[in-house]
């Protein structure tokens, strides 16, 4: 396996998966994804060093981060999976602010349950794949609670249901694409502004 100078996201994910496999199958391999941008398993080859942005579980810490999103102002958003929240770090900030969830695990519109994919639109609204609640929730900028955009009709495989959504994206025509993990499908919804 080679580390390329211009890696794309798929290559980084592949290397990360390979390192996770090695760590499960070797007593000597170690992996600390919240500490390094690139995993430390290049088998003796030099590898680029990442810059620590956040880790742990306080306002300057994370607990099992799953997805990141960077907007046009270089603001970093992180789905903080085990803390059931989405954090936002302004460029150069020493600690983040909670922009969604953060009220413990739950299903109220002020809570998230194992958030996964995130996306921020041009107006600053945050979209969250609220995975264990089987829904997509939109949090308007500076909002105190979210609103259900897709799913939220119990777990299931009907067109209005989701089963552990993990990824999402909104295109230029306001179409929301959802990776509906356990239904093995991609759902498309039109998002109202």
């Amino acid at each position: 396996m080679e580390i390329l100078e211009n890696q794309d996201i798929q290559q980084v994910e592949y290397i990360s998966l390979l390192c996770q496999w090695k760590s499960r199958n070797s007593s000597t391999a170690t992996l600390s994804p919240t500490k390094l941008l690139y995993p430390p398993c290049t088998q003796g080859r030099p590898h680029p060093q990442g810059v620590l942005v956040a880790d742990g579980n306080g306002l300057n810490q994370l607990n099992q981060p799953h997805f990141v999103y960077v907007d046009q102002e270089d603001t970093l958003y992180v789905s903080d999976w085990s803390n059931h929240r989405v954090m936002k770090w302004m460029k150069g900030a020493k600690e983040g602010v909670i922009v969604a969830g953060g009220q413990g695990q739950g299903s109220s519109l002020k809570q998230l349950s194992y958030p996964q994919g995130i996306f921020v639109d041009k107006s600053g609204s945050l979209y969250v794949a609220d995975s264990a609640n089987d829904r997509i929730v939109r949090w308007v900028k500076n909002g105190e609670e979210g609103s259900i955009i897709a799913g939220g009709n119990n777990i299931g495989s009907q067109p209005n249901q989701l089963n552990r959504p993990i990824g999402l994206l909104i295109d230029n025509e306001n179409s929301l694409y959802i990776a509906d993990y356990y239904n093995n499908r991609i759902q498309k919804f039109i998002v109202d502004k």
Side-chain angles (χ1 to χ4, degrees):
M1 177 175 76
E2 286 185 40
I3 304 295
L4 303 175
E5 287 183 27
N6 295 319
Q7 292 178 308
D8 64 18
I9 292 172
Q10 292 174 338
Q11 290 166 322
V12 172
E13 289 174 349
Y14 171 77
I15 293 167
S16 178
L17 290 172
L18 180 61
C19 289
Q20 290 171 17
W21 179 83
K22 284 185 177 188
S23 69
R24 284 192 300 268
N25 295 295
S26 168
S27 60
T28 60
T30 60
L31 180 65
S32 180
T34 59
K35 301 286 185 198
L36 292 176
L37 180 59
Y38 298 99
C41 69
T42 56
Q43 298 182 354
R45 293 185 196 94
H47 58 278
Q49 293 293 317
V51 176
L52 179 63
V53 176
D55 67 348
N57 64 11
L59 287 180
N60 65 340
Q61 301 175 330
L62 302 170
N63 189 358
Q64 296 183 326
H66 276 217
F67 287 82
V68 298
Y69 181 87
V70 179
D71 69 14
Q72 293 178 348
E73 285 84 39
D74 289 332
T75 300
L76 174 70
Y77 295 81
V78 180
S79 61
D80 193 4
W81 196 72
S82 287
N83 284 327
H84 310 288
R85 64 188 184 184
V86 176
M87 298 294 294
K88 171 182 165 180
W89 272 267
M90 302 296 285
K91 186 175 182 177
K94 299 275 188 233
E95 68 180 23
V97 294
I98 300 169
V99 291
Q103 304 292 315
Q105 180 182 9
S107 61
S108 83
L109 292 177
K110 293 182 180 217
Q111 296 175 301
L112 298 171
S113 186
Y114 299 104
Q116 297 265 358
I118 51 180
F119 185 86
V120 180
D121 69 14
K122 293 176 185 173
S123 72
S125 291
L126 169 70
Y127 295 79
V128 182
D130 190 6
S131 188
N133 284 324
D134 304 299
R135 65 189 184 187
I136 304 300
V137 183
R138 176 174 53 199
W139 295 66
V140 297
K141 191 173 186 174
N142 301 319
E144 295 194 16
E145 68 179 28
S147 59
I148 298 171
I149 300 301
N153 298 305
N154 298 316
I155 192 170
S157 60
Q158 297 300 312
N160 68 342
Q161 295 177 309
L162 300 170
N163 190 346
R164 298 302 188 260
I166 61 166
L168 56 93
L169 180 71
I170 298 176
D171 67 14
N172 291 334
E173 297 175 358
N174 262 11
S175 296
L176 169 66
Y177 295 87
I178 303 167
D180 192 4
Y181 188 75
Y182 283 120
N183 281 327
N184 301 303
R185 66 186 181 187
I186 304 299
Q187 289 262 68
K188 179 181 175 182
F189 295 86
I190 303 300
V191 178
D192 295 330
K193 291 189 176 192

